[in-house]
Amino acid sequence: AKYPALRQSVCADGRIHGMLLYHGASTGRWSATIVQIHNLYRSVLSDPDNAIVASRTRDLEWIRTLYEGVDPMKVFASCVRGMLIADDGKELVFPDYSGIEARGNAWLWNETWKLAAYREGRDLYVETYARAFNVAPSAVTKKQRQLGKVLELAMGYEGGVGAFIKMATANKIDLADIVNAPLPDAIRVEAAENHQYADTQGRLYDLPEDVWKAAEGLKLMWRKAHPKIVRGWLALKTAAHLAVENPGTVYKVADGKIMFKVADGFLILRLPSGRKIRYYEPKVAGGTLYHTGVDTKTRMWGKTSTYGGKLCENVIQGLSRDLLVDAMLAFDDAGRNIVFHVHDEPVLEEADLPADEVERIMCAVPKWAAGFPLAIEQHHGTRYRK
């Protein structure tokens, strides 16, 4: 479906325009318009450029021969990003902020061991597993590193069993393997108690009991390894509730990096950059914070709720957006041509853009983000890819 959408979007000059909607998300991030540029299929192939050439033959058997065991539809889907190409004599340069949300979470709450690992360039998936299970990083196996990756991606915003299972499935983790995770006895007891409570709440997700308990235990291990981030979720929730209950009073968290205040019918969340996120018609009822907005599940406008982890996600995505904007303005000041951007990744079209210039611009930390451990991964080519 992406191919006809791309074709129909091409303007008279042979290019696509208006792909992004400014401030399309409540956090200030752009959203996509015509071709859902933020939502293109992530290639399952190591050589999508060759797949594009092969697809032009219109020979299905040849595709099956080249990519044995891969669904041909996934081969064709893996070519979609490559439809976005640079003009003659130029290439696309698309540096990506490396793990910016996890870095932002550690920076916001000063999770010192994690900040040190980032600054020293250590493998955070290995470090996460090692920290959670109190083992030496050198002893972490490939399977354990993959488990550390899933924990890192799923847990940062108060995720639980559901978030873990979703991320584990996406990363092709065998759920049977997690049952054998070396959880301490105290964690197993706590996970069993939580299973009983979750059963009364209907939150077992049709999982076998041993799988649910293992996933819950892994969640508890991650949280034990990240005490400052866990306390941060509660601090955000508490400050937001107090602000709603005491309109006009400012409540600060994270050493003043974040502030809450209710004014003119909005709960206002001030980001470290000074930019603000607003929540309309805030109300606290039964210990839960509600506001009027777009429900993330139904996509309908109406009453919705939020919590500490969700507020943390809003903060981190908002400050990540602000870091990207600073870099985009710097590229613009340098006369560089940004043609689009995807989440935390600007895409430039240039004949010659030195890698050291890209790194210097993107890793320049603004005053409001002092100490933020920024890092990038650089990519370039005539076709866009991921």
Side-chain angles (χ1 to χ4, degrees), residues 109 158 229-247 249-254 258-262 267-269 282-285 287-290 306-312 315:
W109 306 113
E158 209 170 347
I229 291 176
V230 172
R231 288 197 295 270
W233 301 332
L234 178 59
L236 285 170
K237 176 183 176 181
T238 301
H241 285 214
L242 286 171
V244 172
E245 292 165 350
N246 301 278
T249 303
V250 175
Y251 292 88
K252 300 178 181 181
V253 292
I258 305 299
M259 301 181 192
F260 288 96
K261 178 183 178 180
V262 168
L267 170 64
I268 302 169
L269 186 164
K283 180 180 179 181
V284 174
T288 300
L289 173 60
Y290 296 92
T306 191
Y307 54 96
K310 186 65 176 177
L311 290 169
C312 185
V315 168

Side-chain angles (χ1 to χ4, degrees), residues 182-225:
L183 299 174
D185 290 342
I187 292 291
R188 291 190 180 279
V189 169
E190 187 175 353
E193 293 172 350
N194 293 350
H195 180 272
Q196 292 178 355
Y197 177 74
D199 190 15
T200 66
Q201 301 296 304
R203 292 190 291 107
L204 297 182
Y205 311 110
D206 295 323
L207 292 170
E209 183 175 340
D210 57 347
V211 171
W212 194 99
K213 289 179 179 178
E216 176 71 7
L218 290 167
K219 178 202 82 175
L220 295 171
M221 294 294 283
W222 187 94
R223 293 186 180 184
K224 184 179 177 183

Side-chain angles (χ1 to χ4, degrees), residues 86 89-96 327-328 330-340 345-362 376-381:
K90 298 182 179 180
E91 67 175 4
L92 298 178
V93 180
F94 35 103
D96 188 14
M328 288 170 62
F331 277 124
D332 195 57
D333 288 343
R336 297 302 185 177
N337 181 33
I338 299 174
V339 287
F340 67 97
E345 174 188 74
V347 182
L348 301 98
E349 185 182 45
E350 294 287 340
D352 179 30
L353 180 52
D356 59 348
E357 180 181 340
V358 174
E359 183 167 11
R360 174 178 57 78
I361 288 176
M362 290 198 66
I376 62 170
E377 296 176 2
Q378 299 208 39
H379 314 279
H380 61 91

Side-chain angles (χ1 to χ4, degrees), residues 1 11 60 97 109 118 125 129 131 159 167 177 199 238 250 266 289 300 308 331 369:
C11 300
L60 187 57
Y97 279 121
W109 306 113
Y118 279 125
Y125 299 149
Y129 185 93
R131 185 81 179 188
M167 196 62 67
D177 287 345
D199 190 15
T238 301
V250 175
F266 288 89
L289 173 60
M300 299 293 289
F331 277 124

Side-chain angles (χ1 to χ4, degrees), residues 74-318:
K74 291 186 178 180
V75 174
F76 303 140
S78 296
C79 299
V80 170
R81 291 175 187 257
M83 296 299 98
L84 300 168
I85 62 176
D87 207 348
D88 292 341
K90 298 182 179 180
E91 67 175 4
L92 298 178
V93 180
F94 35 103
D96 188 14
Y97 279 121
S98 177
I100 190 168
E101 291 194 27
R103 290 170 184 265
N105 217 356
W107 171 79
L108 182 67
W109 306 113
N110 194 31
E111 198 69 78
T112 49
W113 71 266
K114 204 163 198 174
L115 289 172
Y118 279 125
R119 289 166 182 152
E120 294 168 14
R122 302 202 298 268
D123 186 326
L124 257 292
Y125 299 149
V126 168
E127 294 290 327
T128 294
Y129 185 93
R131 185 81 179 188
F133 287 91
N134 195 29
V135 297
S138 59
V140 176
T141 66
K142 187 175 180 180
K143 272 191 174 183
Q144 290 169 339
R145 179 190 182 276
Q146 189 70 359
L147 191 54
K149 175 182 178 180
V150 170
L151 286 168
E152 191 63 22
L153 295 175
M155 297 293 140
Y157 300 136
E158 209 170 347
V161 172
F164 175 86
I165 295 299
K166 182 178 179 180
M167 196 62 67
T169 301
N171 283 272
K172 297 180 173 57
I173 295 283
D174 187 342
L175 296 182
D177 287 345
I178 73 169
V179 174
N180 299 317
L183 299 174
D185 290 342
I187 292 291
R188 291 190 180 279
V189 169
E190 187 175 353
E193 293 172 350
N194 293 350
H195 180 272
Q196 292 178 355
Y197 177 74
D199 190 15
T200 66
Q201 301 296 304
R203 292 190 291 107
L204 297 182
Y205 311 110
D206 295 323
L207 292 170
E209 183 175 340
D210 57 347
V211 171
W212 194 99
K213 289 179 179 178
E216 176 71 7
L218 290 167
K219 178 202 82 175
L220 295 171
M221 294 294 283
W222 187 94
R223 293 186 180 184
K224 184 179 177 183
H226 296 78
K228 292 184 178 181
I229 291 176
V230 172
R231 288 197 295 270
W233 301 332
L234 178 59
L236 285 170
K237 176 183 176 181
T238 301
H241 285 214
L242 286 171
V244 172
E245 292 165 350
N246 301 278
T249 303
V250 175
Y251 292 88
K252 300 178 181 181
V253 292
D255 297 325
K257 295 188 187 77
I258 305 299
M259 301 181 192
F260 288 96
K261 178 183 178 180
V262 168
D264 301 323
F266 288 89
L267 170 64
I268 302 169
L269 186 164
R270 185 185 184 277
L271 294 167
S273 66
R275 193 170 61 82
K276 300 172 181 67
I277 297 175
R278 289 174 168 82
Y279 305 86
Y280 185 49
E281 295 182 331
K283 180 180 179 181
V284 174
T288 300
L289 173 60
Y290 296 92
H291 63 95
T292 301
V294 178
D295 188 278
T296 55
K297 293 182 179 179
T298 66
R299 300 298 177 184
M300 299 293 289
W301 178 263
K303 182 179 178 182
T304 187
S305 63
T306 191
Y307 54 96
K310 186 65 176 177
L311 290 169
C312 185
E313 180 182 46
N314 291 169
V315 168
I316 300 302
Q317 291 188 356

